[in-house]
Amino acid sequence: MSDRVEWPTERDKEAALIIRTDYGDEPAWAAVKAALMMTWGEDEDFEPYVHIVDDPQWTGITPAEVLSQAAAHSEPAVSSTSPTTSRCGSPLSHCSRCPC
């Protein structure tokens, strides 16, 4: 990982960690953030529990670098996705729940 970024250690490790590494499509990122912040569950009674890192210092960091650092910092689980997919894995433009 680049020496220009620091791993977000001051956070609740139970929260899903979302690190933005691509700054090329602001509308797609806004849609991803909105989808992540939606309530979920059968009765929409579960609140999202995420920690979002939205810092341009992370621009260009590869998924492999993020995963390597996650392992080095004993992160419980890490997932990498593109800014055009929803949390259900569908393209945002095809997901009825996503605000696209």
Side-chain angles (χ1 to χ4, degrees):
M1 184 162 105
S2 171
D3 291 334
R4 64 189 165 93
V5 297
E6 290 184 35
W7 189 257
T9 56
E10 298 297 320
R11 67 177 196 84
D12 184 344
K13 285 197 174 190
E14 296 296 318
L17 177 60
I18 309 300
I19 300 174
R20 182 180 185 184
T21 60
D22 179 53
Y23 286 79
D25 191 341
E26 198 63 38
W29 175 246
V32 167
K33 283 196 320 186
L36 287 168
M37 299 312 294
M38 293 173 68
T39 56
W40 59 280
E42 189 172 313
D43 296 321
E44 301 284 322
D45 54 349
F46 293 101
E47 294 292 323
Y49 194 41
V50 298
H51 179 92
I52 297 175
V53 176
D54 189 353
D55 185 335
Q57 291 182 16
W58 287 86
T59 301
I61 301 299
T62 67
E65 290 172 312
V66 173
L67 293 172
S68 174
Q69 285 299 308
H73 288 87
S74 302
E75 288 294 329
V78 174
S79 176
S80 179
T81 186
S82 79
T84 57
T85 58
S86 67
R87 70 171 131 169
C88 64
S90 300
L92 286 174
S93 60
H94 295 99
C95 184
S96 62
R97 291 188 35 129
C98 299
C100 45

